[in-house]
Amino acid sequence: MKGLQHKKISEIDGNDPFFNSLKEDYSEFCSWYAKKANAGEEAYVFHNSRKRMDGFLYLKLETDPDPSIAPPLPPGKALKVGTLKINAHGTKLGERFIKKIFDHAMSHKVDYIYVTVFEKHAGLINLLERYGFEKRACKTSINGSEHVLTRDLNLVTGHVVRDFPHFELADKKFYLLAIYPEYHSAFLPDSILNGESHDILEDVSHTNSIHKVYISGINRTKCLKPGDIVAIYRTNDGKGKAYYRSVVSSLGVVEEVRQIKSFKNEAQFIKYTKPYSIFTIEQLKDYFTNKQKSYIIKFTYNAALKKRIIRKRLIEECLISTRTRWDFTQLTEKQLRWIAKEGEINESIIIHQA
């Protein structure tokens, strides 16, 4: 057993040494864990390739305010991050868990998310703040005082990362961006296709991360601007006609586009690209030396389409022209909206819908 799984808490070993630090922080942890296990509740758990636990996430929907939090949290439907622990080891596993928190929040249409964190866990606090969480209150208990961080899901700042997974359509451009099948699912794990093996979803940075780096040799991609929306198009896998096998699987938002010549040296280029790209260090070194792939596109992985859309429908119903290659082609807002609707992504992710 390895990878990220959603399991009943009763099936997760509460005596695993992974939980020792939580037992030290929270005197009532053992009784809390037993109560949740007996109630049949579930949590996310991550086991590494050595079958050791490296992550645990328990989420709870709330409508009644916690009286131990001051000042009180706002009224509304909240998603409480009841328990979150990650053994950080440089693979962006924290981002993978953050994405799962947002997935639940969007699914249940909550007004805000909140989490309580002791000040000593600075790394976790920094991670949460990166994605728009702010310190709003304190929670006092027998265990001491904790920061209460909240993320208002009804507020949009215009910042690509702090607004994740929301995105705006106003004053943006939209594009279809192709990716080869051999890279697709390890790069975009929530967009894995039916029939593909989940064994490809390894505990590596480019799989776990909310951020992705796409390295392009297409000159036209230099027109991309921060905030533009890309629909990821997985090209034909060779197991049949592209008409039926090529699909749109995901939506992302551009953070920035850089030319390869903007990096001072190879080390700077690899530091920027390696955590977020599918390529090996050897491939990256070759790209930097030969500069055949000149454009570095960094984007956030905002939504996996629940229903993948085949090329046939994109031509016949979405009316995407075949006069230009689909390696990189511009879409209209109407076409982007059609993809989002037919792909059955959560409608609340898109801001300012008409």
Side-chain angles (χ1 to χ4, degrees), residues 18 27 148 308 320:
F18 171 86
S27 59
V148 180
R308 315 313 189 226
I320 300 177

Side-chain angles (χ1 to χ4, degrees), residues 132-184:
F133 284 80
E134 297 181 344
K135 295 173 185 174
R136 292 292 188 186
C138 290
K139 176 182 172 68
T140 303
S141 69
I142 58 173
N143 302 303
S145 179
E146 297 176 83
H147 292 299
V148 180
L149 285 80
T150 67
R151 166 69 191 273
D152 185 343
L153 294 176
N154 297 314
L155 176 67
V156 177
T157 67
H159 188 282
V160 171
V161 178
R162 287 197 292 271
D163 286 343
F164 179 89
H166 295 111
F167 56 85
E168 295 185 88
L169 300 187
D171 302 318
K172 301 297 187 297
K173 291 185 177 180
F174 318 98
Y175 299 90
L176 198 69
L177 184 64
I179 185 171
Y180 292 127
E182 59 264 36
Y183 301 133
H184 175 268

Side-chain angles (χ1 to χ4, degrees), residues 153-339:
L153 294 176
N154 297 314
L155 176 67
V156 177
T157 67
H159 188 282
V160 171
V161 178
R162 287 197 292 271
D163 286 343
F164 179 89
H166 295 111
F167 56 85
E168 295 185 88
L169 300 187
D171 302 318
K172 301 297 187 297
K173 291 185 177 180
F174 318 98
Y175 299 90
L176 198 69
L177 184 64
I179 185 171
Y180 292 127
E182 59 264 36
Y183 301 133
H184 175 268
S185 294
F187 192 48
L188 306 167
D190 291 334
S191 303
I192 191 168
L193 304 186
N194 292 335
E196 290 184 312
S197 171
H198 284 259
D199 289 342
I200 66 175
L201 303 185
E202 299 177 1
D203 179 26
V204 289
S205 295
H206 61 253
T207 293
N208 292 329
S209 178
I210 285 171
H211 309 269
K212 307 295 176 180
V213 163
Y214 181 103
I215 302 177
S216 172
I218 305 167
N219 187 58
R220 301 190 310 280
T221 57
K222 67 182 179 182
C223 71
L224 286 165
K225 304 293 183 185
D228 286 347
I229 315 301
V230 288
I232 303 300
Y233 175 70
R234 196 212 68 167
T235 59
N236 190 13
D237 58 7
K239 297 179 181 179
K241 293 183 178 180
Y243 206 51
Y244 301 102
R245 300 292 302 179
S246 299
V247 298
V248 168
S249 70
S250 323
L251 296 179
V253 181
V254 175
E255 290 185 66
E256 66 174 348
V257 178
R258 295 182 62 174
Q259 291 194 41
I260 201 166
K261 64 184 181 182
S262 70
F263 296 93
K264 294 180 180 179
N265 51 52
E266 180 184 272
Q268 187 185 72
F269 172 69
I270 290 173
K271 182 179 180 180
Y272 181 89
T273 57
K274 185 64 181 77
Y276 306 114
S277 77
I278 195 75
F279 302 111
T280 65
I281 289 179
E282 289 70 26
Q283 288 173 312
L284 293 173
K285 286 181 177 180
D286 183 61
Y287 290 150
F288 186 81
T289 300
N290 296 319
K291 294 181 173 55
Q292 292 177 333
K293 292 181 178 290
S294 300
Y295 301 98
I296 317 303
I297 305 164
K298 189 175 184 182
F299 66 93
T300 53
Y301 177 31
N302 292 61
L305 274 60
K306 291 182 181 178
K307 186 176 182 180
R308 315 313 189 226
I309 305 172
I310 61 174
R311 181 181 176 91
K312 179 179 186 293
R313 295 192 66 202
L314 294 169
I315 295 171
E316 296 177 356
E317 299 175 52
C318 193
L319 304 179
I320 300 177
S321 173
T322 56
R323 293 179 181 176
T324 58
R325 290 185 61 188
W326 285 16
D327 50 1
F328 180 72
T329 188
Q330 189 166 358
L331 304 173
T332 65
E333 181 176 330
K334 183 178 179 181
Q335 288 171 328
L336 191 282
R337 286 183 181 276
W338 184 91
I339 289 170

